[in-house]
Amino acid sequence: ISACLVGSEMCIRDSSRKTDRMTDESQAPVILITGGSRGVGAATARLAAAQGYDVAISFVANESAALSVASDVEALGRRALPVRADNADPAQVAALFAAIDKAFGRLDVLVNNAAMLARQSRLEDLDFERVRRVFAVNSIGPILCAQQAVKRMSTRYNGRGGSVINISSASARLGSPNEYVDYAASKGAVETFTTGFAKEVAREGIRVNCIRPGHIYTEMHASGGEPDRVNPVSYTHLRAHETGRN
């Protein structure tokens, strides 16, 4: 977890430095974290609050977890806004950003964290609906959210500027063969999108970064049918590193 959180912390801290000019003394900067009710998203929400951000999070199913994160944010003296929204649905994404407009009147940082994976399977056994849903959430969702963020951040639209952070996965590089190549491919799409989007808005006051986490202890692995996945994978990589070093 520390490696990913360090990466997230760096981006958040750096964005706060860059957006000093955007922040008046009467209002804290605002960060939106999609999929912020658990795992990396929840940890990022708490970290952002500790660093002075008001925090909006989206969630799909686990309302109690989202409310718990919101409570933690408020305990740190910041405002919190949990919103139920599927980031693969354009109408729900638009409603999410409208809720942020109403509650905060600004948006400084977007963290495209929401993602899903399905049970481990070989390529030939993947059904169309599974692949469609994985790409809708993991690849199209970040694009839909980024579209809304641009309209609020970009100097092209009289915005103050801002930062967009896309969360990828080591699977984008490794491919996840015999497990979930659809998830890996969807994260590869996120990295390609990051490159193009960053160049597109670089002169409009928006910085776009991508974080590719390694092995993280989160609930997400249970969705793939291997809740303890990090332990054997981490051990295998450690042994391979030690063998190569020796």
Side-chain angles (χ1 to χ4, degrees), residues 15-245:
S15 65
S16 70
R17 287 195 295 267
K18 178 170 180 136
T19 56
D20 280 346
R21 62 182 177 83
M22 305 186 297
T23 307
D24 58 54
E25 295 180 358
S26 64
Q27 187 176 8
V30 176
I31 183 171
L32 165 61
I33 303 160
T34 65
S37 65
R38 65 175 188 169
V40 170
T44 305
R46 296 183 179 103
L47 175 63
Q51 294 186 5
Y53 282 79
D54 287 336
V55 179
I57 62 171
S58 69
F59 67 98
V60 173
N62 197 335
E63 183 176 16
S64 62
L67 293 176
S68 176
V69 173
S71 178
D72 291 343
V73 168
E74 291 171 346
L76 290 166
R78 304 315 319 164
R79 294 183 294 168
L81 178 68
V83 180
R84 187 188 300 273
D86 183 347
N87 74 325
D89 183 324
Q92 292 187 42
V93 169
L96 165 63
F97 280 81
I100 294 171
D101 291 340
K102 183 177 180 180
F104 301 116
R106 65 184 294 157
L107 179 65
D108 301 283
V109 181
L110 164 65
V111 181
N112 275 317
N113 170 73
M116 64 160 291
L117 57 75
R119 293 191 67 83
Q120 295 178 359
S121 177
R122 281 179 55 89
L123 174 67
E124 63 267 29
D125 297 323
L126 302 180
D127 65 80
F128 173 78
E129 181 54 32
R130 162 182 164 151
V131 175
R132 186 202 67 79
R133 178 62 179 167
V134 166
F135 272 83
V137 173
N138 298 358
S139 304
I140 298 176
I143 293 175
L144 295 176
C145 290
Q147 287 178 322
Q148 294 288 335
V150 165
K151 295 175 182 178
R152 290 157 174 82
M153 295 178 181
S154 172
T155 55
R156 181 186 181 93
Y157 296 96
N158 298 316
R160 303 181 182 92
S163 175
V164 176
I165 303 164
N166 296 324
I167 306 300
S168 180
S169 165
S171 67
R173 179 173 60 86
L174 301 174
S176 297
N178 300 304
E179 297 178 334
Y180 20 74
V181 295
D182 51 347
Y183 174 81
S186 72
K187 287 299 189 177
V190 168
E191 296 190 4
T192 301
F193 163 60
T194 300
T195 300
F197 180 39
K199 294 177 180 179
E200 190 167 299
V201 297
R203 296 186 178 182
E204 299 174 19
I206 302 174
R207 187 183 61 259
V208 184
N209 296 108
C210 187
I211 297 176
R212 185 193 288 160
H215 307 124
I216 311 295
Y217 286 95
T218 71
E219 301 171 16
M220 193 175 190
H221 297 296
S223 302
E226 193 177 4
D228 297 323
R229 173 180 174 78
V230 175
N231 293 333
V233 171
S234 297
Y235 177 77
T236 299
H237 279 257
L238 177 61
R239 290 298 300 156
H241 174 71
E242 290 178 343
T243 300
R245 184 175 59 191

